[in-house]
Amino acid sequence: MKKYWGIAILGMTALFFEPVQADSKAIEQALKEVLPGVKPDSITPSPMSGLYEVVVGPKLFYVSEDGRYLFQGAMIDIKAREDLTESKLAGARVSSLKKVGLDNMIVFKPKTSKHSLYVFTDIDCGYCRKLHSEIDQYLSEGIEIRYLFFPRAGEGSESYKKAVSVWCADDRNTALTKAKRGEAVENRQCDNPVDQHLTLGTQMGATGTPMLVTEKGNILPGYVPAGQLAKILAQESE
């Protein structure tokens, strides 16, 4: 798998910049100097005085108002007992997924859609296959499944090649179902979004599959049965 910039900055707890004037443009300039090519999607004041929230794709960082320090981690409102970072991250994930677009995903639609679910999948993953073997159950619950590829073995692996072949098939939905059953799919090459999916999944912190992302941007790490998932999504929408 390629070493994407998102992986490199995941482990950062603090970066040092030259002190600058406290405003979003100055902070953006400070970031450009240390992380060239990385353009924040937004820079806004955080709930904590002296810190700004910096959203880059599906990631969230905090930068001191003097532009000198950058932090990554959860901001907790102790009094309200609320994780302020996670709610912000959820919105960033949804925005990033929308940028990918449904045209760059393999979508299984129910007759009547009540909810949608993004699924980062590995064709050869056991629980991914189990989830897909029950696709009719998810559809009957009114859950639209939107697949993105996350071959865990990385670029060039057999799972990666299968993902590309599925995408390049004449009927992607049918090809994906065949591949999930362990059936052979014709090897094909074409322009595909598999690298884009891998990058996004990595930035979101995917370590295993399936990784489920709800329509509100919350992550469910692993297989969830259709009936249970329908209840989770219904509660999330309340």
Short mmCIF file of all heavy atoms in Angstrom, two decimals, residues 60-127:
data_model
loop_
_atom_site.label_atom_id
_atom_site.label_comp_id
_atom_site.label_asym_id
_atom_site.label_seq_id
_atom_site.Cartn_x
_atom_site.Cartn_y
_atom_site.Cartn_z
N LEU A 60 -9.37 15.51 11.88
CA LEU A 60 -9.54 16.76 12.64
C LEU A 60 -8.32 16.98 13.51
O LEU A 60 -7.87 16.07 14.22
CB LEU A 60 -10.80 16.68 13.51
CG LEU A 60 -11.02 17.83 14.49
CD1 LEU A 60 -11.26 19.14 13.74
CD2 LEU A 60 -12.21 17.53 15.40
N PHE A 61 -7.78 18.19 13.45
CA PHE A 61 -6.65 18.58 14.28
C PHE A 61 -6.99 19.86 15.03
O PHE A 61 -7.90 20.60 14.63
CB PHE A 61 -5.40 18.81 13.42
CG PHE A 61 -5.03 17.63 12.58
CD1 PHE A 61 -5.47 17.55 11.26
CD2 PHE A 61 -4.26 16.60 13.08
CE1 PHE A 61 -5.14 16.46 10.47
CE2 PHE A 61 -3.94 15.50 12.30
CZ PHE A 61 -4.38 15.43 11.00
N TYR A 62 -6.24 20.12 16.07
CA TYR A 62 -6.38 21.38 16.80
C TYR A 62 -5.06 22.14 16.70
O TYR A 62 -3.98 21.55 16.86
CB TYR A 62 -6.71 21.12 18.27
CG TYR A 62 -8.05 20.43 18.47
CD1 TYR A 62 -8.12 19.07 18.74
CD2 TYR A 62 -9.24 21.15 18.35
CE1 TYR A 62 -9.35 18.44 18.90
CE2 TYR A 62 -10.48 20.52 18.50
CZ TYR A 62 -10.52 19.17 18.78
OH TYR A 62 -11.73 18.54 18.93
N VAL A 63 -5.16 23.43 16.40
CA VAL A 63 -3.98 24.27 16.27
C VAL A 63 -4.12 25.44 17.23
O VAL A 63 -5.18 26.06 17.33
CB VAL A 63 -3.82 24.80 14.83
CG1 VAL A 63 -2.61 25.71 14.71
CG2 VAL A 63 -3.67 23.63 13.86
N SER A 64 -3.03 25.75 17.94
CA SER A 64 -3.06 26.87 18.88
C SER A 64 -3.24 28.17 18.11
O SER A 64 -2.84 28.30 16.95
CB SER A 64 -1.78 26.92 19.71
OG SER A 64 -0.65 27.06 18.88
N GLU A 65 -3.82 29.16 18.75
CA GLU A 65 -4.16 30.40 18.06
C GLU A 65 -2.94 31.17 17.61
O GLU A 65 -3.04 32.03 16.72
CB GLU A 65 -5.04 31.29 18.95
CG GLU A 65 -4.38 31.77 20.21
CD GLU A 65 -5.31 32.64 21.04
OE1 GLU A 65 -6.44 32.88 20.58
OE2 GLU A 65 -4.90 33.07 22.13
N ASP A 66 -1.76 30.88 18.18
CA ASP A 66 -0.56 31.55 17.71
C ASP A 66 0.09 30.79 16.56
O ASP A 66 1.13 31.18 16.04
CB ASP A 66 0.45 31.74 18.85
CG ASP A 66 0.97 30.43 19.43
OD1 ASP A 66 0.54 29.36 18.97
OD2 ASP A 66 1.80 30.49 20.37
N GLY A 67 -0.54 29.67 16.15
CA GLY A 67 -0.04 28.92 15.01
C GLY A 67 1.18 28.08 15.31
O GLY A 67 1.80 27.53 14.40
N ARG A 68 1.54 27.91 16.57
CA ARG A 68 2.77 27.20 16.90
C ARG A 68 2.58 25.70 17.15
O ARG A 68 3.42 24.90 16.79
CB ARG A 68 3.42 27.83 18.13
CG ARG A 68 4.76 27.17 18.49
CD ARG A 68 5.46 27.88 19.60
NE ARG A 68 6.72 27.21 19.91
CZ ARG A 68 7.56 27.59 20.86
NH1 ARG A 68 7.27 28.66 21.59
NH2 ARG A 68 8.68 26.93 21.08
N TYR A 69 1.45 25.32 17.75
CA TYR A 69 1.26 23.93 18.13
C TYR A 69 0.07 23.29 17.40
O TYR A 69 -0.97 23.93 17.22
CB TYR A 69 1.02 23.80 19.64
CG TYR A 69 2.16 24.32 20.48
CD1 TYR A 69 2.10 25.58 21.06
CD2 TYR A 69 3.30 23.54 20.69
CE1 TYR A 69 3.14 26.06 21.82
CE2 TYR A 69 4.34 24.00 21.46
CZ TYR A 69 4.27 25.27 22.03
OH TYR A 69 5.31 25.75 22.79
N LEU A 70 0.26 22.03 17.04
CA LEU A 70 -0.81 21.25 16.43
C LEU A 70 -1.00 19.99 17.26
O LEU A 70 -0.03 19.32 17.61
CB LEU A 70 -0.46 20.89 14.99
CG LEU A 70 -1.48 20.05 14.20
CD1 LEU A 70 -1.42 20.40 12.72
CD2 LEU A 70 -1.25 18.56 14.37
N PHE A 71 -2.24 19.69 17.59
CA PHE A 71 -2.55 18.53 18.40
C PHE A 71 -3.59 17.66 17.70
O PHE A 71 -4.44 18.16 16.97
CB PHE A 71 -3.13 18.93 19.77
CG PHE A 71 -2.26 19.87 20.56
CD1 PHE A 71 -2.39 21.26 20.41
CD2 PHE A 71 -1.31 19.38 21.43
CE1 PHE A 71 -1.60 22.12 21.13
CE2 PHE A 71 -0.51 20.25 22.16
CZ PHE A 71 -0.65 21.62 22.01
N GLN A 72 -3.54 16.36 17.98
CA GLN A 72 -4.58 15.45 17.52
C GLN A 72 -5.04 14.61 18.70
O GLN A 72 -4.21 14.05 19.43
CB GLN A 72 -4.09 14.52 16.42
CG GLN A 72 -5.20 13.64 15.86
CD GLN A 72 -4.68 12.70 14.78
OE1 GLN A 72 -3.51 12.39 14.75
NE2 GLN A 72 -5.57 12.26 13.91
N GLY A 73 -6.34 14.55 18.90
CA GLY A 73 -6.88 13.79 20.01
C GLY A 73 -8.30 14.21 20.29
O GLY A 73 -8.86 15.08 19.61
N ALA A 74 -8.90 13.60 21.29
CA ALA A 74 -10.30 13.88 21.62
C ALA A 74 -10.42 15.05 22.58
O ALA A 74 -9.69 15.13 23.57
CB ALA A 74 -10.95 12.65 22.23
N MET A 75 -11.33 15.96 22.27
CA MET A 75 -11.66 17.04 23.19
C MET A 75 -12.98 16.66 23.87
O MET A 75 -14.01 16.50 23.22
CB MET A 75 -11.82 18.38 22.44
CG MET A 75 -12.17 19.54 23.38
SD MET A 75 -12.42 21.11 22.51
CE MET A 75 -10.74 21.47 21.98
N ILE A 76 -12.93 16.53 25.19
CA ILE A 76 -14.09 16.09 25.96
C ILE A 76 -14.65 17.25 26.77
O ILE A 76 -13.90 17.94 27.48
CB ILE A 76 -13.72 14.94 26.92
CG1 ILE A 76 -12.99 13.82 26.17
CG2 ILE A 76 -14.96 14.43 27.63
CD1 ILE A 76 -13.82 13.11 25.15
N ASP A 77 -15.95 17.47 26.64
CA ASP A 77 -16.64 18.42 27.52
C ASP A 77 -16.99 17.64 28.78
O ASP A 77 -17.94 16.84 28.79
CB ASP A 77 -17.89 18.96 26.84
CG ASP A 77 -18.60 20.03 27.67
OD1 ASP A 77 -18.50 19.98 28.92
OD2 ASP A 77 -19.27 20.91 27.08
N ILE A 78 -16.20 17.83 29.84
CA ILE A 78 -16.38 17.03 31.06
C ILE A 78 -17.75 17.29 31.69
O ILE A 78 -18.43 16.36 32.13
CB ILE A 78 -15.26 17.33 32.07
CG1 ILE A 78 -13.91 16.93 31.47
CG2 ILE A 78 -15.49 16.58 33.38
CD1 ILE A 78 -12.73 17.28 32.34
N LYS A 79 -18.15 18.55 31.71
CA LYS A 79 -19.42 18.89 32.35
C LYS A 79 -20.59 18.25 31.62
O LYS A 79 -21.51 17.69 32.24
CB LYS A 79 -19.59 20.41 32.41
CG LYS A 79 -20.80 20.85 33.22
CD LYS A 79 -20.83 22.37 33.35
CE LYS A 79 -22.02 22.82 34.18
NZ LYS A 79 -22.05 24.31 34.34
N ALA A 80 -20.56 18.34 30.30
CA ALA A 80 -21.65 17.78 29.49
C ALA A 80 -21.46 16.28 29.21
O ALA A 80 -22.35 15.63 28.69
CB ALA A 80 -21.77 18.53 28.17
N ARG A 81 -20.26 15.76 29.53
CA ARG A 81 -19.92 14.37 29.26
C ARG A 81 -20.10 14.04 27.78
O ARG A 81 -20.75 13.06 27.40
CB ARG A 81 -20.75 13.42 30.13
CG ARG A 81 -20.51 13.59 31.62
CD ARG A 81 -21.27 12.59 32.44
NE ARG A 81 -21.02 12.78 33.88
CZ ARG A 81 -21.53 12.04 34.83
NH1 ARG A 81 -22.33 11.03 34.53
NH2 ARG A 81 -21.25 12.28 36.09
N GLU A 82 -19.50 14.88 26.96
CA GLU A 82 -19.67 14.75 25.51
C GLU A 82 -18.31 14.81 24.82
O GLU A 82 -17.47 15.64 25.15
CB GLU A 82 -20.56 15.88 24.99
CG GLU A 82 -20.79 15.84 23.49
CD GLU A 82 -21.62 17.01 23.00
OE1 GLU A 82 -22.03 17.85 23.84
OE2 GLU A 82 -21.85 17.09 21.79
N ASP A 83 -18.12 13.92 23.87
CA ASP A 83 -16.92 13.92 23.03
C ASP A 83 -17.15 14.90 21.88
O ASP A 83 -17.85 14.59 20.91
CB ASP A 83 -16.65 12.51 22.50
CG ASP A 83 -15.33 12.42 21.73
OD1 ASP A 83 -14.86 13.45 21.22
OD2 ASP A 83 -14.79 11.30 21.64
N LEU A 84 -16.57 16.09 21.99
CA LEU A 84 -16.80 17.13 20.99
C LEU A 84 -16.08 16.81 19.68
O LEU A 84 -16.52 17.21 18.61
CB LEU A 84 -16.33 18.48 21.53
CG LEU A 84 -16.98 18.94 22.83
CD1 LEU A 84 -16.37 20.27 23.29
CD2 LEU A 84 -18.49 19.09 22.65
N THR A 85 -14.98 16.09 19.79
CA THR A 85 -14.20 15.76 18.60
C THR A 85 -14.93 14.77 17.71
O THR A 85 -14.98 14.92 16.49
CB THR A 85 -12.82 15.20 19.00
OG1 THR A 85 -12.13 16.17 19.79
CG2 THR A 85 -11.98 14.87 17.78
N GLU A 86 -15.51 13.74 18.32
CA GLU A 86 -16.15 12.69 17.53
C GLU A 86 -17.33 13.23 16.72
O GLU A 86 -17.51 12.85 15.56
CB GLU A 86 -16.64 11.56 18.45
CG GLU A 86 -17.31 10.42 17.71
CD GLU A 86 -16.46 9.81 16.62
OE1 GLU A 86 -15.21 9.76 16.79
OE2 GLU A 86 -17.02 9.37 15.60
N SER A 87 -18.11 14.13 17.29
CA SER A 87 -19.24 14.69 16.54
C SER A 87 -18.75 15.49 15.34
O SER A 87 -19.36 15.47 14.27
CB SER A 87 -20.10 15.57 17.45
OG SER A 87 -19.35 16.65 17.99
N LYS A 88 -17.63 16.18 15.51
CA LYS A 88 -17.06 16.95 14.40
C LYS A 88 -16.47 16.01 13.35
O LYS A 88 -16.61 16.23 12.14
CB LYS A 88 -15.96 17.87 14.94
CG LYS A 88 -15.54 18.97 13.99
CD LYS A 88 -16.53 20.12 14.01
CE LYS A 88 -16.02 21.28 13.18
NZ LYS A 88 -16.90 22.46 13.28
N LEU A 89 -15.81 14.94 13.82
CA LEU A 89 -15.23 13.97 12.90
C LEU A 89 -16.31 13.29 12.05
O LEU A 89 -16.10 13.02 10.86
CB LEU A 89 -14.46 12.91 13.68
CG LEU A 89 -13.03 13.25 14.07
CD1 LEU A 89 -12.48 12.18 15.01
CD2 LEU A 89 -12.15 13.39 12.85
N ALA A 90 -17.45 13.01 12.66
CA ALA A 90 -18.54 12.36 11.94
C ALA A 90 -18.95 13.18 10.72
O ALA A 90 -19.12 12.65 9.62
CB ALA A 90 -19.73 12.13 12.86
N GLY A 91 -19.06 14.48 10.91
CA GLY A 91 -19.41 15.36 9.80
C GLY A 91 -18.32 15.38 8.73
O GLY A 91 -18.62 15.42 7.53
N ALA A 92 -17.06 15.35 9.17
CA ALA A 92 -15.95 15.34 8.21
C ALA A 92 -15.94 14.06 7.39
O ALA A 92 -15.63 14.07 6.19
CB ALA A 92 -14.63 15.50 8.96
N ARG A 93 -16.28 12.94 8.02
CA ARG A 93 -16.34 11.67 7.29
C ARG A 93 -17.41 11.71 6.21
O ARG A 93 -17.19 11.28 5.07
CB ARG A 93 -16.62 10.52 8.26
CG ARG A 93 -15.51 10.23 9.24
CD ARG A 93 -15.87 9.08 10.16
NE ARG A 93 -14.97 9.01 11.30
CZ ARG A 93 -15.34 9.10 12.57
NH1 ARG A 93 -16.63 9.25 12.87
NH2 ARG A 93 -14.44 9.04 13.53
N VAL A 94 -18.58 12.22 6.57
CA VAL A 94 -19.69 12.30 5.60
C VAL A 94 -19.28 13.18 4.42
O VAL A 94 -19.52 12.83 3.26
CB VAL A 94 -20.97 12.84 6.26
CG1 VAL A 94 -22.03 13.13 5.22
CG2 VAL A 94 -21.50 11.84 7.29
N SER A 95 -18.65 14.31 4.70
CA SER A 95 -18.22 15.22 3.63
C SER A 95 -17.23 14.53 2.70
O SER A 95 -17.30 14.67 1.48
CB SER A 95 -17.58 16.47 4.23
OG SER A 95 -18.54 17.23 4.95
N SER A 96 -16.29 13.77 3.28
CA SER A 96 -15.29 13.08 2.47
C SER A 96 -15.93 12.00 1.61
O SER A 96 -15.55 11.80 0.45
CB SER A 96 -14.23 12.46 3.38
OG SER A 96 -13.49 13.47 4.05
N LEU A 97 -16.89 11.29 2.16
CA LEU A 97 -17.58 10.24 1.39
C LEU A 97 -18.40 10.86 0.25
O LEU A 97 -18.46 10.30 -0.85
CB LEU A 97 -18.47 9.43 2.31
CG LEU A 97 -17.72 8.48 3.25
CD1 LEU A 97 -18.61 8.04 4.41
CD2 LEU A 97 -17.22 7.25 2.48
N LYS A 98 -19.02 11.98 0.51
CA LYS A 98 -19.78 12.66 -0.54
C LYS A 98 -18.87 13.12 -1.67
O LYS A 98 -19.28 13.15 -2.83
CB LYS A 98 -20.57 13.82 0.05
CG LYS A 98 -21.77 13.39 0.88
CD LYS A 98 -22.57 14.58 1.40
CE LYS A 98 -23.81 14.11 2.16
NZ LYS A 98 -24.59 15.23 2.70
N LYS A 99 -17.63 13.49 -1.33
CA LYS A 99 -16.68 13.91 -2.36
C LYS A 99 -16.30 12.74 -3.27
O LYS A 99 -16.04 12.92 -4.45
CB LYS A 99 -15.44 14.52 -1.71
CG LYS A 99 -15.66 15.89 -1.11
CD LYS A 99 -14.40 16.43 -0.47
CE LYS A 99 -14.65 17.79 0.17
NZ LYS A 99 -13.44 18.32 0.86
N VAL A 100 -16.25 11.54 -2.70
CA VAL A 100 -15.99 10.36 -3.52
C VAL A 100 -17.12 10.18 -4.52
O VAL A 100 -16.90 9.96 -5.71
CB VAL A 100 -15.84 9.09 -2.65
CG1 VAL A 100 -15.74 7.84 -3.53
CG2 VAL A 100 -14.63 9.20 -1.75
N GLY A 101 -18.36 10.30 -4.03
CA GLY A 101 -19.54 10.24 -4.91
C GLY A 101 -20.05 8.83 -5.13
O GLY A 101 -19.27 7.87 -5.19
N LEU A 102 -21.35 8.70 -5.25
CA LEU A 102 -21.97 7.39 -5.46
C LEU A 102 -21.55 6.75 -6.78
O LEU A 102 -21.54 5.52 -6.90
CB LEU A 102 -23.50 7.51 -5.40
CG LEU A 102 -24.09 7.90 -4.04
CD1 LEU A 102 -25.61 7.92 -4.13
CD2 LEU A 102 -23.63 6.96 -2.94
N ASP A 103 -21.18 7.57 -7.76
CA ASP A 103 -20.74 7.02 -9.04
C ASP A 103 -19.43 6.26 -8.89
O ASP A 103 -19.07 5.47 -9.78
CB ASP A 103 -20.56 8.15 -10.07
CG ASP A 103 -21.88 8.73 -10.54
OD1 ASP A 103 -22.92 8.07 -10.30
OD2 ASP A 103 -21.88 9.83 -11.12
N ASN A 104 -18.72 6.50 -7.80
CA ASN A 104 -17.46 5.81 -7.55
C ASN A 104 -17.59 4.77 -6.45
O ASN A 104 -16.60 4.43 -5.78
CB ASN A 104 -16.37 6.83 -7.19
CG ASN A 104 -15.91 7.61 -8.39
OD1 ASN A 104 -15.64 7.04 -9.45
ND2 ASN A 104 -15.83 8.92 -8.26
N MET A 105 -18.80 4.29 -6.23
CA MET A 105 -19.06 3.21 -5.28
C MET A 105 -19.94 2.18 -5.98
O MET A 105 -20.53 2.45 -7.02
CB MET A 105 -19.80 3.75 -4.04
CG MET A 105 -19.06 4.85 -3.30
SD MET A 105 -20.05 5.49 -1.90
CE MET A 105 -19.12 6.98 -1.51
N ILE A 106 -20.00 0.98 -5.39
CA ILE A 106 -20.93 -0.04 -5.89
C ILE A 106 -22.11 -0.06 -4.93
O ILE A 106 -21.95 -0.36 -3.75
CB ILE A 106 -20.26 -1.42 -5.97
CG1 ILE A 106 -19.11 -1.38 -6.99
CG2 ILE A 106 -21.29 -2.48 -6.36
CD1 ILE A 106 -18.39 -2.70 -7.16
N VAL A 107 -23.28 0.30 -5.45
CA VAL A 107 -24.45 0.54 -4.60
C VAL A 107 -25.50 -0.54 -4.83
O VAL A 107 -25.85 -0.87 -5.96
CB VAL A 107 -25.05 1.93 -4.90
CG1 VAL A 107 -26.26 2.18 -4.00
CG2 VAL A 107 -24.00 3.02 -4.69
N PHE A 108 -26.00 -1.09 -3.71
CA PHE A 108 -27.12 -2.01 -3.74
C PHE A 108 -28.32 -1.29 -3.13
O PHE A 108 -28.29 -0.92 -1.94
CB PHE A 108 -26.79 -3.29 -2.95
CG PHE A 108 -25.85 -4.20 -3.67
CD1 PHE A 108 -24.49 -3.93 -3.71
CD2 PHE A 108 -26.31 -5.33 -4.33
CE1 PHE A 108 -23.60 -4.76 -4.37
CE2 PHE A 108 -25.44 -6.19 -5.01
CZ PHE A 108 -24.07 -5.89 -5.03
N LYS A 109 -29.35 -1.06 -3.95
CA LYS A 109 -30.49 -0.25 -3.54
C LYS A 109 -31.70 -1.10 -3.18
O LYS A 109 -32.06 -2.01 -3.93
CB LYS A 109 -30.88 0.72 -4.66
CG LYS A 109 -29.91 1.86 -4.91
CD LYS A 109 -30.42 2.75 -6.03
CE LYS A 109 -29.58 4.00 -6.19
NZ LYS A 109 -29.78 4.92 -5.05
N PRO A 110 -32.35 -0.80 -2.06
CA PRO A 110 -33.62 -1.47 -1.75
C PRO A 110 -34.75 -0.83 -2.54
O PRO A 110 -34.57 0.23 -3.15
CB PRO A 110 -33.78 -1.20 -0.25
CG PRO A 110 -33.09 0.11 -0.04
CD PRO A 110 -31.93 0.13 -1.01
N LYS A 111 -35.91 -1.47 -2.55
CA LYS A 111 -37.05 -0.87 -3.25
C LYS A 111 -37.42 0.46 -2.63
O LYS A 111 -37.74 1.42 -3.33
CB LYS A 111 -38.24 -1.84 -3.20
CG LYS A 111 -38.05 -3.11 -4.01
CD LYS A 111 -39.27 -4.01 -3.93
CE LYS A 111 -39.07 -5.27 -4.76
NZ LYS A 111 -40.25 -6.17 -4.68
N THR A 112 -37.37 0.53 -1.31
CA THR A 112 -37.62 1.79 -0.60
C THR A 112 -36.48 2.02 0.38
O THR A 112 -36.27 1.21 1.29
CB THR A 112 -38.95 1.74 0.18
OG1 THR A 112 -40.03 1.46 -0.74
CG2 THR A 112 -39.21 3.07 0.88
N SER A 113 -35.74 3.09 0.17
CA SER A 113 -34.58 3.37 1.03
C SER A 113 -35.00 4.13 2.27
O SER A 113 -35.62 5.19 2.19
CB SER A 113 -33.53 4.18 0.27
OG SER A 113 -32.96 3.42 -0.77
N LYS A 114 -34.68 3.57 3.44
CA LYS A 114 -34.91 4.24 4.71
C LYS A 114 -33.59 4.81 5.25
O LYS A 114 -33.57 5.87 5.88
CB LYS A 114 -35.49 3.27 5.73
CG LYS A 114 -36.85 2.70 5.36
CD LYS A 114 -37.31 1.70 6.42
CE LYS A 114 -38.63 1.07 6.05
NZ LYS A 114 -39.05 0.04 7.07
N HIS A 115 -32.52 4.08 5.00
CA HIS A 115 -31.21 4.48 5.50
C HIS A 115 -30.15 4.10 4.46
O HIS A 115 -30.40 3.29 3.57
CB HIS A 115 -30.88 3.76 6.82
CG HIS A 115 -31.90 3.96 7.89
ND1 HIS A 115 -32.05 5.15 8.57
CD2 HIS A 115 -32.84 3.11 8.40
CE1 HIS A 115 -33.02 5.02 9.45
NE2 HIS A 115 -33.52 3.81 9.37
N SER A 116 -28.97 4.69 4.61
CA SER A 116 -27.84 4.32 3.76
C SER A 116 -26.65 3.97 4.66
O SER A 116 -26.53 4.48 5.77
CB SER A 116 -27.48 5.46 2.81
OG SER A 116 -27.18 6.65 3.51
N LEU A 117 -25.81 3.09 4.16
CA LEU A 117 -24.64 2.65 4.92
C LEU A 117 -23.46 2.51 3.97
O LEU A 117 -23.56 1.88 2.92
CB LEU A 117 -24.93 1.30 5.58
CG LEU A 117 -23.82 0.75 6.48
CD1 LEU A 117 -23.82 1.48 7.82
CD2 LEU A 117 -23.99 -0.75 6.69
N TYR A 118 -22.33 3.12 4.35
CA TYR A 118 -21.10 2.97 3.59
C TYR A 118 -20.33 1.80 4.18
O TYR A 118 -20.17 1.70 5.39
CB TYR A 118 -20.25 4.24 3.68
CG TYR A 118 -20.94 5.47 3.14
CD1 TYR A 118 -21.65 6.32 3.99
CD2 TYR A 118 -20.89 5.80 1.79
CE1 TYR A 118 -22.30 7.46 3.50
CE2 TYR A 118 -21.53 6.93 1.29
CZ TYR A 118 -22.22 7.76 2.17
OH TYR A 118 -22.86 8.88 1.68
N VAL A 119 -19.85 0.90 3.31
CA VAL A 119 -19.16 -0.30 3.77
C VAL A 119 -17.80 -0.39 3.08
O VAL A 119 -17.72 -0.55 1.86
CB VAL A 119 -19.97 -1.57 3.47
CG1 VAL A 119 -19.21 -2.81 3.95
CG2 VAL A 119 -21.35 -1.50 4.12
N PHE A 120 -16.72 -0.26 3.86
CA PHE A 120 -15.38 -0.51 3.34
C PHE A 120 -15.16 -2.02 3.40
O PHE A 120 -15.19 -2.61 4.48
CB PHE A 120 -14.33 0.23 4.18
CG PHE A 120 -14.29 1.71 3.91
CD1 PHE A 120 -15.14 2.57 4.58
CD2 PHE A 120 -13.39 2.24 2.98
CE1 PHE A 120 -15.10 3.94 4.33
CE2 PHE A 120 -13.35 3.60 2.72
CZ PHE A 120 -14.21 4.46 3.39
N THR A 121 -14.94 -2.63 2.26
CA THR A 121 -14.95 -4.09 2.18
C THR A 121 -13.70 -4.65 1.53
O THR A 121 -13.08 -4.01 0.68
CB THR A 121 -16.21 -4.57 1.40
OG1 THR A 121 -16.35 -5.97 1.56
CG2 THR A 121 -16.11 -4.22 -0.08
N ASP A 122 -13.34 -5.85 1.96
CA ASP A 122 -12.27 -6.64 1.35
C ASP A 122 -12.95 -7.88 0.79
O ASP A 122 -13.63 -8.61 1.53
CB ASP A 122 -11.25 -7.01 2.43
CG ASP A 122 -10.07 -7.81 1.89
OD1 ASP A 122 -10.28 -8.67 1.01
OD2 ASP A 122 -8.94 -7.60 2.37
N ILE A 123 -12.77 -8.14 -0.49
CA ILE A 123 -13.48 -9.24 -1.13
C ILE A 123 -13.19 -10.58 -0.45
O ILE A 123 -14.07 -11.44 -0.36
CB ILE A 123 -13.12 -9.30 -2.63
CG1 ILE A 123 -13.81 -8.13 -3.37
CG2 ILE A 123 -13.51 -10.64 -3.26
CD1 ILE A 123 -13.43 -7.99 -4.81
N ASP A 124 -11.98 -10.77 0.07
CA ASP A 124 -11.60 -12.05 0.66
C ASP A 124 -11.80 -12.12 2.17
O ASP A 124 -11.47 -13.14 2.79
CB ASP A 124 -10.14 -12.35 0.33
CG ASP A 124 -9.92 -12.56 -1.16
OD1 ASP A 124 -10.78 -13.19 -1.79
OD2 ASP A 124 -8.90 -12.07 -1.69
N CYS A 125 -12.33 -11.07 2.78
CA CYS A 125 -12.57 -11.05 4.23
C CYS A 125 -13.80 -11.89 4.56
O CYS A 125 -14.86 -11.74 3.94
CB CYS A 125 -12.74 -9.59 4.66
SG CYS A 125 -13.83 -9.31 6.05
N GLY A 126 -13.67 -12.77 5.57
CA GLY A 126 -14.76 -13.67 5.93
C GLY A 126 -16.03 -12.97 6.35
O GLY A 126 -17.13 -13.30 5.88
N TYR A 127 -15.90 -11.98 7.24
CA TYR A 127 -17.10 -11.28 7.71
C TYR A 127 -17.67 -10.36 6.63
O TYR A 127 -18.88 -10.08 6.62
CB TYR A 127 -16.80 -10.50 8.99
CG TYR A 127 -16.91 -11.38 10.22
CD1 TYR A 127 -15.78 -11.84 10.88
CD2 TYR A 127 -18.16 -11.77 10.71
CE1 TYR A 127 -15.88 -12.65 12.00
CE2 TYR A 127 -18.27 -12.58 11.83
CZ TYR A 127 -17.13 -13.02 12.47
OH TYR A 127 -17.24 -13.84 13.57
#
